[in-house]
Amino acid sequence: MAALRIFARPCVSPIFSNLLPSNITKTTLFNNFKIQQRCSSFKSSPKVGDPSNYTEFEISKDPKEWFFVERILALKTVPPAPTSTDTELPSGWKPQSADAKKLPYFVARTKNHMQPVYIARTHRGMRRITELHKIQGDIWTLEADLKKYLEEQSGKRVATQIHEVVGQVNVKGDHVIRIKEWLDKKGL
């Protein structure tokens, strides 16, 4: 790579000008020099060139044509979640059920209507802690029910930690999928 940079420099061009035809040498060395030129700021960047070198475009104000652009743009707000779905969605997403209000605890969804279950990796990925956020109500009962479910599923003892003020339960290990299944079963 370094050799290519050396040969592309304009000071070396007289050496190779005798070896190649004159039209190839001039254009190649000039283009290589332009590639190496660095633009460190806006002021030193090249000015706008001839308009014929750029892509042609047309500004349209026709609403029929603008419809195709609007459907590609990102939405400004998150659309409301469906309240009930009889069929299973391809993504596996399920809304919260009305039975969840009977429980002594509640897990609120995120602003994108997703379950607030996350994995935190520390110590270069060696320690994995699953975090369940946005818990309201009796956090101690939720932790007991969740711990019982996880121990039944894994067949091992599970270590948990409760942050009552924040409304968060931490579970040692990677249990994201199991906790989301448990939340779906409970209707949370």
Side-chain angles (χ1 to χ4, degrees):
M1 195 66 170
L4 292 175
R5 277 192 233 129
I6 290 170
F7 293 132
R9 292 185 180 152
C11 63
V12 185
S13 64
I15 298 169
F16 293 105
S17 63
N18 299 339
L19 300 175
L20 296 171
S22 61
N23 60 351
I24 295 175
T25 309
K26 290 177 184 175
T27 58
T28 308
L29 292 174
F30 180 71
N31 289 339
N32 289 343
F33 180 69
K34 283 176 63 176
I35 291 170
Q36 281 191 347
Q37 199 174 28
R38 297 183 188 259
C39 303
S40 60
S41 70
F42 176 74
K43 289 183 179 180
S44 66
S45 63
K47 305 293 187 255
V48 176
D50 183 28
S52 63
N53 295 334
Y54 300 106
T55 307
E56 293 181 16
F57 63 92
E58 179 184 333
I59 298 173
S60 173
K61 297 187 179 184
D62 184 18
K64 292 178 184 175
E65 291 179 358
W66 183 247
F67 167 75
F68 295 103
V69 175
E70 283 180 331
R71 40 177 223 185
I72 298 172
L73 297 175
L75 299 173
K76 293 182 180 177
T77 60
V78 179
T83 54
S84 66
T85 56
D86 298 334
T87 61
E88 195 168 314
L89 298 172
S91 64
W93 183 87
K94 295 178 184 172
Q96 292 176 319
S97 66
D99 298 336
K101 294 179 182 177
K102 298 176 185 174
L103 297 171
Y105 47 81
F106 181 75
V107 179
R109 297 281 179 111
T110 63
K111 68 178 181 178
N112 295 324
H113 315 294
M114 302 301 287
Q115 296 167 334
V117 183
Y118 309 101
I119 181 101
R121 291 189 175 114
T122 57
H123 300 293
R124 297 184 181 183
M126 298 303 293
R127 180 187 292 170
R128 293 181 178 95
I129 297 172
T130 307
E131 300 175 350
L132 176 60
H133 294 255
K134 297 190 171 215
I135 301 170
Q136 301 169 3
D138 191 1
I139 194 169
W140 300 99
T141 309
L142 180 136
E143 185 265 342
D145 292 348
L146 179 61
K147 189 172 185 175
K148 181 181 174 188
Y149 176 78
L150 291 174
E151 287 176 351
E152 288 173 0
Q153 292 293 318
S154 65
K156 300 177 187 175
R157 293 194 65 184
V158 177
T160 59
Q161 180 183 21
I162 298 173
H163 293 288
E164 189 175 12
V165 176
V166 180
Q168 176 179 335
V169 173
N170 294 342
V171 182
K172 188 175 182 182
D174 187 354
H175 300 282
V176 173
I177 295 172
R178 290 182 179 150
I179 292 175
K180 286 185 177 184
E181 287 173 359
W182 180 77
L183 289 170
D184 285 338
K185 287 179 183 178
K186 292 284 188 177
L188 296 170

